[in-house]
Amino acid sequence: MIVSRHICGHEFIGEVVALGASYGGHSPGRPPLYSSLKVGDKVVSPFTVNCGECHVCRLGFTGRCPEGFLFGSPALDGGQAQYVRVPKAGGTLFNLSDSSTWSSNLPKEAREQALSNLADSSLLILADILPTGVFATLQALNHPKVAPVLTGRSWPLCFEKEVSGGNEVSFTDEDRVLNVAIIGLGPVGVCTTVSMLDAVANRKISYRIVAVDPNESRREKMKAVYEAIDASGKGTGQFAVCDIEESKKVVKEWTSGVGCTAVLEVVGNTSAISLAYDLVRAFGAIVSVGVHGAPPLPLTGSQLYNKNVSFDFGRCPARAMFPPAFDLLVRRQDVFGGVGEKASLIDKIVGFDEAVESYRAFDKGEVGKVIFDPWK
Amino acid sequence: MIVSRHICGHEFIGEVVALGASYGGHSPGRPPLYSSLKVGDKVVSPFTVNCGECHVCRLGFTGRCPEGFLFGSPALDGGQAQYVRVPKAGGTLFNLSDSSTWSSNLPKEAREQALSNLADSSLLILADILPTGVFATLQALNHPKVAPVLTGRSWPLCFEKEVSGGNEVSFTDEDRVLNVAIIGLGPVGVCTTVSMLDAVANRKISYRIVAVDPNESRREKMKAVYEAIDASGKGTGQFAVCDIEESKKVVKEWTSGVGCTAVLEVVGNTSAISLAYDLVRAFGAIVSVGVHGAPPLPLTGSQLYNKNVSFDFGRCPARAMFPPAFDLLVRRQDVFGGVGEKASLIDKIVGFDEAVESYRAFDKGEVGKVIFDPWK
């Protein structure tokens, strides 16, 4: 029997202790998302390797770079160790010691101040869960089927660039309400909810958001996080945290039976997809960032056609999504700043000796996100 | 045994001969897409009924109006008759005698001239096949996964409204080429291809388009249509018409193995979906306007996740898409104007006595679109 042994951990933060012989620094031929690194730089790694230099990376689809690997998989050891080897380090790592490589709404000075002030436990969520939440939100808010609600213009006039005409229709206030369900309230689901709330607040979008999970402790965490977000991060709208059956009732009641404009699926199994299908409206968008396995999609062709459903599947290009995720992290220190408090996303920081117990507790939903400190 | 008998025909054009007792004309409370009708008006009907007044219709999702029915189905008799009953006529019908109800890039005078000049056989394609082609094109060109290619900006900077920063990356010319496959070259597939060519020409998008069908006579028709389109309707780019196996080779060669930015699936079966999956790039968009049946989607969750695939399914909201489809019809009389010529979309106009033979020939791919004249 061949047993695959590898080091787990696809999210990590650290310091550059050595540069490999093949590492090349920034040069004019390299795109700006290729980081210059030197020993001593503080870095956070996205959960996948990407070269930063190919066609796929240039487009921002860094999660599917042909040279990519997933950290903490049989193909590449991960971060649950004192040291980790990072292939294609210039393309992969965010250099937290050099904020000049990305553009941001935050001035450079504010960025640098943030980088030196933020706790490592806060920066760590940039490796996967926060950019994945931003990714889900961005896909939903930029989906063509969501466009009429956000622009206040009927299909196809909501697409300004291509259309040569349409029907000028007056919308009611209700027509302009964005109805969203977020399925799955693990750490990524919480980040997705915070990201969506932040986006609708910033853009002054009227909304109703239902956050759904069968697990009570996850729902309690979500409620506590929502309470902790200050007014700037949630604008005005309706927000509910529900179990599965409640979510169906709430969406039906809120939308007079129409269903949600967009459903964000942050679980990755067929039950979650079926629930998303039940909750979404005809001409709605389902954004799935859950990691799906072998089972086929539990939907027939006629179900898909008859409801005019859209689906976006797949992995977050974390390297590309870093800049907006970083800004969100800075804005939302009210929820991403602490450790071990009722509203903290990170429940505790432990040494590897507590790893087995921590995984057990996470699986049971008894604890949220746990960070390992390999030097503890 | 219960046999369902109904009149076929979901595409028709005609003249208002009577208004039902429940018909109400335009009033201040009604949206502009609600048509004022009077006896004698020339009208074209979308293939589905829609009220024109509800939340769903206001958003432009007229193909899924809760009051909707499909013409030519057991629920509602269709247009293969001398007379047809149109429920919700004000919301459903386009009034071709009154161009004041929709906005257009064409001035009102040009629209009216076009309405009086265009042949009925040309206007008839506004009932379904031309708006469906425009619908497929619009969904693809407005998809967030296509945005980097069209804007020349990396994810997430390609979304101007929501993001607070990103990586400023210089694109190569190749990065900005839109690679498209269109699967299925029946009448809707030809309309989709013409619509896509027109859109990329208008927006000066660099493109490579492969149009795919296993049927040789359909491929020949597509080639003839392409030849007939003048320069304004196809800009500059590469265009190929292929059978299935050739299409895989061409896409591989054109894109160095990356795959298509967008695939438009205009067939509606599992083989077409599988081919679309094979041809699309990682982080690509599949737009399916084919009518799908009972079989489940032939893809597993991991296939969808691993390729970051997006899907848009469903029926065209023909009533909402009428204005851009009408403008395209006017612009592209080079291919939509004739009947029975090599490059004509409409192959012939026959009486009902030739219906059975025409259906047989269409099924065999021996003839393209045939129009019935019920008075012939």
Side-chain angles (χ1 to χ4, degrees):
Chain A
M1 193 172 79
I2 299 171
V3 178
S4 161
R5 289 174 190 278
H6 63 272
I7 299 170
C8 292
H10 65 285
E11 300 167 272
F12 56 94
I13 187 168
E15 186 186 312
V16 178
V17 292
L19 292 165
S22 65
Y23 172 77
H26 196 69
S27 67
R30 293 196 143 130
L33 58 70
Y34 192 95
S35 301
S36 285
L37 298 170
K38 58 183 189 308
V39 171
D41 281 347
K42 186 171 173 180
V43 291
V44 57
S45 178
F47 63 104
T48 52
V49 167
N50 63 276
C51 77
E53 305 194 86
C54 68
H55 164 71
V56 174
C57 286
R58 282 195 299 273
L59 265 56
F61 300 151
T62 52
R64 295 290 168 207
C65 171
E67 308 238 27
F69 293 101
L70 176 66
F71 283 104
S73 72
L76 181 63
D77 280 332
Q80 290 187 8
Q82 283 77 15
Y83 299 93
V84 57
R85 182 180 70 88
V86 178
K88 302 281 171 193
T92 302
L93 296 173
F94 309 118
N95 190 343
L96 299 173
S97 302
D98 176 9
S99 68
S100 68
T101 55
W102 73 91
S103 72
S104 164
N105 277 353
L106 293 174
K108 192 165 188 295
E109 200 173 291
R111 260 185 278 174
E112 282 173 7
Q113 201 179 354
L115 286 171
S116 57
N117 286 350
L118 296 186
D120 286 359
S121 56
S122 194
L123 290 165
L124 185 67
I125 67 173
L126 291 169
D128 178 350
I129 65 173
L130 191 55
T132 297
V134 175
F135 173 63
T137 298
L138 270 180
Q139 288 191 101
L141 295 183
N142 287 287
H143 200 281
K145 285 180 175 167
V146 177
V149 172
L150 301 193
T151 61
R153 305 194 79 193
S154 189
W155 256 54
L157 282 176
C158 55
F159 310 123
E160 289 159 29
K161 284 175 185 155
E162 300 81 12
V163 300
S164 53
N167 307 291
E168 296 283 1
V169 178
S170 296
F171 278 23
T172 66
D173 289 346
E174 177 61 30
D175 294 338
R176 301 221 48 196
V177 176
L178 181 74
N179 291 295
V180 175
I182 296 163
I183 300 174
L185 300 176
V188 182
V190 172
C191 285
T192 302
T193 308
V194 174
S195 172
M196 180 57 82
L197 285 165
D198 183 83
V200 294
N202 285 345
R203 293 182 57 185
K204 302 193 193 326
I205 296 165
S206 299
Y207 68 87
R208 299 190 195 99
I209 296 174
V210 58
V212 191
D213 201 294
N215 180 292
E216 191 182 347
S217 68
R218 290 185 161 191
R219 293 199 301 273
E220 290 308 313
K221 176 64 81 180
M222 184 69 251
K223 286 177 193 169
V225 166
Y226 180 77
E227 289 307 316
I229 300 173
D230 74 29
S232 71
K234 54 190 181 192
T236 46
Q238 283 177 270
F239 182 76
V241 180
C242 294
D243 68 21
I244 291 169
E245 288 312 312
E246 284 167 349
S247 73
K248 294 179 186 172
K249 280 180 216 153
V250 163
V251 167
K252 194 172 176 184
E253 194 184 297
W254 275 355
T255 67
S256 308
V258 169
C260 288
T261 327
V263 179
L264 282 54
E265 185 273 302
V266 197
V267 179
N269 62 33
T270 52
S271 314
I273 290 288
S274 295
L275 178 61
Y277 180 83
D278 287 346
L279 296 180
V280 82
R281 63 173 297 158
F283 274 91
I286 296 172
V287 176
S288 164
V289 293
V291 183
H292 288 274
L297 205 67
L299 296 166
T300 66
S302 26
Q303 283 177 305
L304 298 163
Y305 178 84
N306 288 342
K307 211 170 178 177
N308 274 60
V309 173
S310 288
F311 275 104
D312 294 308
F313 287 97
R315 172 192 284 175
C316 170
R319 181 65 182 84
M321 301 305 291
F322 171 78
F326 176 74
D327 282 10
L328 178 60
L329 182 69
V330 174
R331 279 200 300 278
R332 291 276 70 79
Q333 281 294 299
D334 42 10
V335 289
F336 297 135
V339 174
E341 292 153 41
K342 196 180 166 202
S344 301
L345 193 66
I346 310 296
D347 276 348
K348 52 181 178 172
I349 304 175
V350 301
F352 288 145
D353 55 336
E354 292 180 54
V356 173
E357 167 56 18
S358 300
Y359 273 108
R360 190 205 59 76
F362 183 85
D363 278 346
K364 296 274 177 197
E366 294 165 10
V367 72
K369 196 150 184 79
V370 174
I371 291 182
F372 298 125
D373 179 348
W375 302 100
K376 196 167 181 171
Chain B
M1 193 172 79
I2 299 170
V3 178
S4 161
R5 289 172 189 279
H6 62 270
I7 298 169
C8 292
H10 64 285
E11 299 165 273
F12 57 93
I13 187 168
E15 187 186 312
V16 177
V17 293
L19 292 166
S22 65
Y23 172 77
H26 195 70
S27 66
R30 293 195 144 130
L33 59 69
Y34 193 95
S35 302
S36 285
L37 298 169
K38 58 183 191 308
V39 171
D41 281 347
K42 187 171 174 180
V43 291
V44 58
S45 179
F47 62 105
T48 52
V49 167
N50 63 275
C51 77
E53 305 194 85
C54 69
H55 165 70
V56 174
C57 286
R58 282 194 300 272
L59 266 56
F61 301 150
T62 52
R64 295 290 168 206
C65 172
E67 308 239 26
F69 294 100
L70 175 65
F71 282 104
S73 71
L76 182 63
D77 281 333
Q80 290 186 9
Q82 283 78 13
Y83 299 92
V84 56
R85 181 180 70 89
V86 178
K88 303 281 169 192
T92 302
L93 296 172
F94 307 119
N95 191 343
L96 298 173
S97 302
D98 176 10
S99 68
S100 68
T101 55
W102 73 91
S103 73
S104 164
N105 278 352
L106 293 173
K108 192 163 188 298
E109 200 174 290
R111 260 186 279 175
E112 281 173 6
Q113 202 180 353
L115 285 170
S116 56
N117 286 350
L118 296 186
D120 286 357
S121 56
S122 194
L123 289 165
L124 184 67
I125 67 172
L126 291 169
D128 177 351
I129 65 173
L130 191 56
T132 297
V134 175
F135 174 62
T137 298
L138 269 180
Q139 287 191 101
L141 294 183
N142 286 289
H143 200 282
K145 285 180 175 165
V146 176
V149 172
L150 301 192
T151 61
R153 305 194 79 194
S154 189
W155 256 55
L157 283 176
C158 55
F159 309 123
E160 289 159 30
K161 283 177 187 156
E162 298 81 12
V163 299
S164 52
N167 306 292
E168 296 283 1
V169 178
S170 296
F171 279 22
T172 66
D173 289 347
E174 177 60 31
D175 294 337
R176 301 220 48 195
V177 176
L178 181 74
N179 291 294
V180 176
I182 296 163
I183 300 174
L185 301 177
V188 182
V190 172
C191 285
T192 303
T193 308
V194 173
S195 172
M196 180 59 80
L197 285 164
D198 184 82
V200 293
N202 285 345
R203 293 182 56 185
K204 302 192 193 329
I205 296 166
S206 298
Y207 69 86
R208 300 190 194 99
I209 295 174
V210 58
V212 191
D213 201 294
N215 179 292
E216 192 182 345
S217 69
R218 290 186 161 192
R219 292 199 301 273
E220 290 309 313
K221 175 64 80 180
M222 184 71 251
K223 286 177 192 169
V225 166
Y226 180 76
E227 290 307 317
I229 301 174
D230 74 29
S232 72
K234 53 191 182 192
T236 47
Q238 283 176 271
F239 182 76
V241 180
C242 294
D243 68 21
I244 291 169
E245 289 311 313
E246 284 167 350
S247 74
K248 294 179 187 173
K249 280 181 216 153
V250 162
V251 167
K252 194 172 175 183
E253 194 183 296
W254 274 355
T255 68
S256 308
V258 169
C260 288
T261 327
V263 179
L264 282 54
E265 184 274 302
V266 196
V267 179
N269 61 33
T270 53
S271 313
I273 289 287
S274 295
L275 178 61
Y277 181 83
D278 287 346
L279 295 180
V280 82
R281 63 172 298 158
F283 275 91
I286 297 172
V287 176
S288 164
V289 293
V291 182
H292 289 275
L297 205 67
L299 296 167
T300 67
S302 26
Q303 282 177 305
L304 297 163
Y305 179 83
N306 289 342
K307 211 171 178 178
N308 274 62
V309 173
S310 288
F311 275 104
D312 295 307
F313 287 97
R315 172 192 283 174
C316 170
R319 181 65 183 83
M321 301 304 290
F322 171 78
F326 176 74
D327 281 10
L328 178 61
L329 181 69
V330 174
R331 280 201 299 278
R332 291 275 71 78
Q333 281 294 299
D334 42 10
V335 289
F336 297 135
V339 174
E341 292 153 39
K342 197 180 166 202
S344 302
L345 192 66
I346 310 297
D347 276 347
K348 52 181 178 173
I349 302 175
V350 301
F352 287 145
D353 54 336
E354 292 180 55
V356 172
E357 166 56 18
S358 299
Y359 273 108
R360 190 205 58 76
F362 182 85
D363 278 346
K364 298 273 177 200
E366 294 164 11
V367 71
K369 196 149 185 77
V370 175
I371 290 181
F372 297 125
D373 179 347
W375 302 101
K376 197 169 182 170

